[in-house]
Amino acid sequence: MASPLIKIAGTPLTYKDLRAAHRGPVRVEMAKSERDRVARGAQTVARILEKGEPIYGVNTGFGKLAQTRIADEDLTDLQLNLLRSHAAGTGALLPAAIVRLVLLLKIKSLSRGHSGIRAGTLDALVALVNADLLPAIPRQGSVGASGDLAPLAHMSLVLLGEGRVLDGAATITGEAALEKAGIAPLVPAPKEGLALLNGTQVSTAIALDGLFDAQRNLSAALLAGAMSVDAILGSDTPFDPRIQKLRGHRGQIDTAAIIKGLLKGSSIRASHVDCERVQDPYSFRCQPQVMGACLDVLRDGAAKLLIESNAVTDNPLVFNRDLEVLSGGNFHAQPVAFVADSMALAIAEIGSLSERRTAAMIDSQISELPPFLTSDPGRNSGFMLAQVTSAALASENKALAHPRSTDSLPTSANQEDHVSMATNAALRLADMNRNTRAIVAIELLAAAQGIDFRAPLETSPKMAKAHRSIRARVAHWERDRCFGDDLEKIIALIEDGAFDAVGARLFG
């Protein structure tokens, strides 16, 4: 099947484009209008240089060395030295999905014609994407101001025929990658090195990866929460739209509608409509208020990251009409840092609420289910340690949710005296999402077990389908066995998108 086509033609990248690049190989097609705009930017830089005017990072040094003037004959060396010296990252490599996004975002930013690079340089990046040859980028080394300098320098080294490249499961040299893609090694023109490694594309791509995972986990958690309501003989009254409308938050209204829809047609619910229980615990009853707030955070983050994905964030910026090159601070990734920190809170809360429902289900006084969800308690421990694992992961997420954007360490001899830490803020989202995914998987197993105990009463048709999907991989817990094996199967089920449809309409 052909890879999805993404056209760079003067219109913004869409959420669909970003998801496609994250999912797998894509083809990028650059419109002539964009190439012409890029070429005009390079011409503007050349014309200003002819006048002998200083341009930061083009004929001056960088950072604290900005007052140092560079001779014309050394301008190429200046850009080469910049790319090589700034490739100072360390740690494990970023996954292919993130690197593909980085390339796409950098292409989009450069295509707007304000970066002063040549069209041929942009073509080389496009060729890498279209061949799915992805630069090997270490995950650590960016403080999210002056752009993601170190990781983008590693990306840019490949254009010189240096560095390393991910080619499917293999890692090859930058030189071999250029030969495979039919790209000549880059000899950087003035400003090209700076334009390539300056920008927020890495922190934004990592944050997008965290967003996509969080959306998937939220969908699975809504399903798990609804199944748990049925498992404990809970009420669907808290999801009545009239309650949500009086408060007015969109996320609350939407999540309540999904949970109520999932419960519709449950004979378990119908069996206790007139029971004496007045209210369920908050982790069941307040799902719209908590999950809705999480949804609002993720939606807001998605909107801001889409803006950043289409932004020009290098420095200085070229304005062709005015024949000016202006130094500013678009490289400062504070918006991305705030988004990542906010999403961290939502990811932690999705897991926190899920863990509480699992704890309630194993407590027979709350759930009216067998203790620890086993029909032979004492001889069997059932879900006892599964809930302990869930609690451990939820606690870990609390620590990881501590904001990164409030941290700042000056760099470049105090020239860059306030930084965003956006990359660090985004990087920890993967671990948090992994923890939350496991917490939700534990709840799905517990809820499925609880629903089993309600037989011959049946859950709703929608949740019965999910229940069958779980039982196709993990059998009912008759007696103790290795829970970890079961858990990994349901984690994989979530990762594969088995429950994405639950929240599909929430994210567009």
Side-chain angles (χ1 to χ4, degrees):
M1 190 171 75
S3 300
L5 176 64
I6 299 175
K7 293 186 178 182
I8 308 293
T11 55
L13 292 171
T14 65
Y15 202 61
K16 181 180 178 181
D17 294 331
L18 300 177
R19 277 222 175 253
H22 185 262
R23 194 175 296 118
V26 293
R27 292 177 298 123
V28 172
E29 185 179 283
M30 186 72 57
K32 182 178 183 299
S33 60
E34 306 307 286
R35 297 186 80 259
D36 290 346
R37 185 181 294 115
V38 169
R40 287 195 295 273
Q43 292 164 7
T44 298
V45 171
R47 290 170 67 181
I48 295 174
L49 283 174
E50 286 174 3
K51 297 178 182 179
E53 297 178 10
I55 307 175
Y56 170 75
V58 177
N59 55 9
T60 75
F62 304 99
K64 197 75 170 181
L65 304 174
Q67 305 307 315
T68 303
R69 190 67 180 265
I70 308 299
D72 289 351
E73 61 269 22
D74 294 327
L75 297 186
T76 296
D77 277 350
L78 177 69
Q79 301 300 312
L80 284 170
N81 291 343
L82 176 72
L83 292 173
R84 288 168 176 153
S85 67
H86 282 46
T90 188
L93 299 180
L94 291 175
I98 292 176
V99 177
R100 197 179 295 111
L101 273 173
V102 170
L103 287 171
L104 177 63
L105 301 189
K106 177 56 78 173
I107 288 167
K108 178 58 183 176
S109 179
L110 296 175
S111 75
R112 293 183 61 181
H114 292 280
S115 302
I117 69 161
R118 297 166 296 176
T121 302
L122 187 57
D123 290 340
L125 286 173
V126 172
L128 286 178
V129 172
N130 289 344
D132 208 41
L133 294 168
L134 307 173
I137 301 177
R139 69 195 298 268
Q140 294 171 293
S142 174
V143 296
S146 278
D148 296 311
L149 295 173
L152 286 173
H154 283 278
M155 177 201 79
S156 305
L157 277 184
V158 174
L159 297 179
L160 307 179
E162 302 174 17
R164 306 286 295 176
V165 174
L166 306 175
D167 182 14
T171 304
I172 61 176
T173 65
E175 182 180 17
L178 292 189
E179 184 176 348
K180 187 171 184 177
I183 306 169
L186 174 70
V187 179
K191 196 178 180 306
E192 287 194 329
L194 185 58
L196 286 166
L197 61 75
N198 205 219
T200 64
Q201 288 78 33
V202 172
S203 51
T204 303
I206 298 170
L208 283 167
D209 177 74
L211 171 69
F212 298 153
D213 267 1
Q215 290 172 340
R216 173 160 287 173
N217 287 341
L218 184 137
S219 292
L222 287 172
L223 171 65
M227 290 179 66
S228 297
V229 168
D230 238 11
I232 69 158
L233 303 178
S235 173
D236 59 356
T237 299
F239 315 119
D240 190 301
R242 292 171 293 180
I243 296 173
Q244 327 313 323
K245 187 177 179 181
L246 285 178
R247 197 170 197 186
H249 291 294
R250 182 185 166 204
Q252 177 179 333
I253 292 167
D254 290 347
T255 51
I258 284 178
I259 296 171
K260 190 167 182 63
L262 287 168
L263 287 163
K264 185 178 180 181
S266 168
S267 64
I268 296 175
R269 171 56 184 144
S271 72
H272 62 93
V273 169
D274 298 320
C275 69
E276 295 181 358
R277 186 190 299 175
V278 178
Q279 293 182 330
D280 298 320
Y282 285 2
S283 57
F284 296 85
R285 180 171 23 127
C286 298
Q287 288 186 74
Q289 290 76 15
V290 179
M291 295 296 282
C294 294
L295 173 59
D296 286 339
V297 167
L298 297 183
R299 281 172 165 167
D300 182 64
K304 286 183 167 61
L305 291 177
L306 187 59
I307 292 171
E308 193 73 7
S309 296
N310 286 285
V312 182
T313 55
D314 58 296
N315 184 66
L317 298 174
V318 179
F319 294 87
N320 300 321
R321 184 177 300 172
D322 307 312
L323 279 181
E324 284 191 87
V325 177
L326 305 180
S327 284
N330 279 4
F331 51 71
H332 200 295
Q334 200 71 41
V336 181
F338 281 162
V339 165
D341 277 348
S342 296
M343 289 198 300
L345 295 175
I347 293 164
E349 282 303 280
I350 292 168
S352 177
L353 203 67
S354 176
E355 182 277 328
R356 288 291 80 206
R357 291 190 297 265
T358 297
M361 282 186 283
I362 66 172
D363 185 339
S364 58
Q365 290 187 331
I366 296 174
S367 66
E368 300 178 31
L369 290 164
F372 300 103
L373 299 174
T374 175
S375 55
D376 187 13
R379 194 158 67 98
N380 291 280
S381 295
F383 279 64
M384 182 186 295
L385 261 290
Q387 186 270 327
V388 171
T389 297
S390 187
L393 295 172
S395 181
E396 184 178 334
N397 271 358
K398 291 176 188 176
L400 288 170
H402 182 83
R404 293 343 190 228
S405 56
T406 54
D407 183 27
S408 178
L409 283 173
T411 60
S412 192
N414 284 310
Q415 175 74 7
E416 298 155 5
D417 61 343
H418 182 276
V419 299
S420 72
M421 295 298 178
T423 316
N424 287 345
L427 279 169
R428 77 10 171 119
L429 299 180
D431 287 338
M432 295 187 70
N433 273 312
R434 193 173 299 112
N435 290 343
T436 292
R437 188 157 49 246
I439 293 168
V440 173
I442 290 169
E443 185 189 0
L444 285 167
L445 284 166
Q449 187 81 356
I451 287 171
D452 288 345
F453 283 123
R454 299 302 179 193
L457 296 173
E458 295 181 349
T459 189
S460 71
K462 288 182 179 179
M463 293 196 295
K465 181 180 178 183
H467 183 273
R468 287 193 298 272
S469 182
I470 293 167
R471 283 288 170 254
R473 290 156 181 81
V474 174
H476 176 79
W477 193 274
E478 294 287 353
R479 55 180 176 268
D480 284 351
R481 58 178 184 261
C482 176
F483 194 92
D485 293 342
D486 291 352
L487 177 56
E488 291 304 318
K489 291 174 184 176
I490 305 307
I491 289 173
L493 199 60
I494 298 172
E495 287 176 339
D496 291 344
F499 309 122
D500 286 1
V502 172
R505 70 178 182 84
L506 297 176
F507 304 111

